[in-house]
Amino acid sequence: MTIHRNIKLTVAILTIIFSSPVFGQTPSTFYDQAKIEVFHPDFKKIIDPLIKIELLAEGFQWTEGPVWVQKGNYLLFSDTRLNTIYKWSSKNGVEKFIQPAGYQGTEIYSEEPGTNGLVINKEGYLVACDHGNRQIVQIDLNKRKFTPLSTHWKQLRFNSPNDICQHDHGDYFFTDPPYGLPNREVDTINREIMSNGVYRLDSFGNAIQIISNLTRPNGIALSTKQDKLYVSISDHKHPFIMEYSLNNKLEVGKPEVFVDFKLKFPSEPMAADGIKVHPDGYVFAAAGSGIIILNDKGDVIGRIKLGIATANCNFGGDGYLYITASDKLLRVPLLKL
C-alpha cells in the first residue's frame, strides 16, 4: 500500500514538473463537448439552453475554488496540484497570481499541496482553504501577505480545509476532509482529527466543530437568506447535499437530505463537489461531469454537461458563471444574476 502510494505520488509530481498550462488568449473559444440539458422550464429563466460554453484556458492539473474580485473585475482560482492561485481577466487572460499558494517547503508534501476553496471576505481580503499548510488563511490581494486565521481545533491541527463561505455576521463555515494529506484517510502520521468535520470560525478566531458525522464533506454554501447551510458529500455511497437550518446563534439544526444524486441520476454515479447559491435561491452543484442546477426544494431543473470531472463554480460580477473542471477554466453567460 505504501509503495503504491509513493509511486502514485511520484508520478503526480513528475506530471506537474513536466507540464505547463496552455492559456487561452481570448474568451472566443467554444467548448464544443458541452451540452445543456433542460429538465424544468425554470431553468430557462437563468440560462439560455442554446448558449455555448466558452473555454478560457486549459492545461492545468486540477482547477478549483473560483472567486470573482469585484474591485478589479477579475477571477481568481486555485490549482491544488500545481500549488498556484491563478488570475483571469478579459484584458490579460490567465496569469500566475501566487505561487506557492499553499505548502512552501522544499520537499514533496502531497498530491494537493496548494489552496482549494477561495472567498473574498467582507473586508475585501482573499480567504483561502490552504491544503498544504492545513489552515484557513487571509491574503492581502495587493501585498500578497498571508495571515493565518485558524490552524487548530481543540489544539489539534486541521486535516486539509477544503471549501469555505462567509455569513453576513462575519463568521466563516468550512469543510475539513483529508484530501490534502499525504495519505488522505489512511494518513496515520500527519492526521490529528479523525472526523472529517465541518467548522464555524467565529469573529474571535475560535473554530467550533459543528458537524462530525459526514464521510467526505466537501463543498459548502449558505442559502440566500443565510438561514440554511448546504454541505455536499463527495462519497458515491452517500452522494448527498445536506441541508442544515441555522438559528440566530449560527448553530445548526437537524440535518435534512437536500438532494440524493443516486436517486436523481441512478444510471450516472456521481457526487457533488463545490456548490454555490444563486441570488434567486437556485443551487449550482459541481457533480460528476458538469454543473447541476437545483431549485430551493432540491429538484433538478437543468444541467451543464461538460463530459469531464467538474470541481466547482462561482458567479462573476460580469454576469457569467465561471466553472473549474479538470484541467480547464470555462464560463457560461447567465440571463440573470
Side-chain angles (χ1 to χ4, degrees), residues 211-241:
I211 304 168
S212 62
N213 62 346
L214 302 182
T215 52
R216 290 188 173 190
N218 197 324
I220 192 165
L222 289 156
S223 63
T224 53
K225 294 182 180 179
Q226 308 263 298
D227 59 350
K228 295 178 182 178
L229 183 70
Y230 299 108
V231 181
S232 65
I233 306 176
S234 295
D235 180 353
H236 283 81
K237 293 181 179 179
H238 309 284
F240 310 145
I241 294 179

Side-chain angles (χ1 to χ4, degrees), residues 34-276:
K35 178 183 178 183
I36 293 181
E37 300 174 332
V38 179
F39 301 131
H40 189 280
D42 283 352
F43 180 80
K44 296 180 181 180
K45 296 178 182 178
I46 51 177
I47 296 178
D48 180 351
L50 300 179
I51 205 71
K52 291 189 175 182
I53 285 79
E54 298 175 12
L55 174 63
L56 301 179
E58 61 184 341
F60 304 95
Q61 287 293 311
W62 182 249
T63 55
E64 259 285 7
V67 65
W68 186 258
V69 182
Q70 195 67 36
K71 188 177 180 179
N73 291 313
Y74 61 88
L75 186 85
L76 295 176
F77 63 98
S78 300
D79 190 315
T80 61
R81 296 175 185 173
L82 290 178
N83 199 1
T84 304
I85 293 175
Y86 289 97
K87 174 183 178 181
W88 179 89
S89 66
S90 58
K91 180 181 179 180
N92 299 318
V94 173
E95 308 167 88
K96 284 183 181 179
F97 189 70
I98 299 175
Q99 187 185 47
Y103 183 70
Q104 298 182 9
T106 55
E107 71 276 16
I108 295 172
Y109 174 67
S110 74
E111 290 179 35
E112 297 189 10
T115 56
N116 197 311
L118 307 174
V119 67
I120 301 297
N121 70 10
K122 296 170 70 65
E123 288 75 39
Y125 292 102
L126 176 66
V127 175
C129 291
D130 183 345
H131 268 190
N133 294 309
R134 301 164 68 176
Q135 65 181 354
I136 301 298
V137 64
Q138 178 176 284
I139 304 172
D140 186 305
L141 291 171
N142 296 315
K143 299 177 182 178
R144 318 288 167 92
K145 179 183 177 182
F146 291 69
T147 303
L149 298 182
S150 187
T151 58
H152 290 71
W153 169 67
K154 291 186 175 180
Q155 299 182 332
L156 301 172
R157 287 189 71 188
F158 296 128
N159 293 316
S160 56
N162 187 276
D163 209 353
I164 188 167
C165 60
Q166 187 180 27
H167 195 276
D168 285 345
H169 291 178
D171 295 46
Y172 299 97
F173 292 91
F174 67 94
T175 56
D176 186 44
Y179 301 140
L181 291 175
N183 287 290
R184 297 195 171 190
E185 287 94 343
V186 295
D187 194 328
T188 58
I189 298 175
N190 300 284
R191 191 170 188 181
E192 298 180 19
I193 302 174
M194 293 301 105
S195 58
N196 297 324
V198 179
Y199 297 84
R200 178 170 64 88
L201 178 61
D202 68 20
S203 56
F204 300 102
N206 302 310
I208 303 101
Q209 189 182 79
I210 58 173
I211 304 168
S212 62
N213 62 346
L214 302 182
T215 52
R216 290 188 173 190
N218 197 324
I220 192 165
L222 289 156
S223 63
T224 53
K225 294 182 180 179
Q226 308 263 298
D227 59 350
K228 295 178 182 178
L229 183 70
Y230 299 108
V231 181
S232 65
I233 306 176
S234 295
D235 180 353
H236 283 81
K237 293 181 179 179
H238 309 284
F240 310 145
I241 294 179
M242 302 299 298
E243 176 185 295
Y244 301 83
S245 62
L246 290 175
N247 62 20
N248 292 333
K249 295 181 180 180
L250 302 187
E251 298 167 329
V252 295
K254 181 181 177 182
E256 302 284 346
V257 175
F258 177 68
V259 62
D260 181 347
F261 287 105
K262 193 160 48 178
L263 295 178
K264 300 293 184 181
F265 297 91
S267 62
E268 300 180 52
M270 67 174 71
D273 194 327
I275 49 177
K276 297 294 183 295

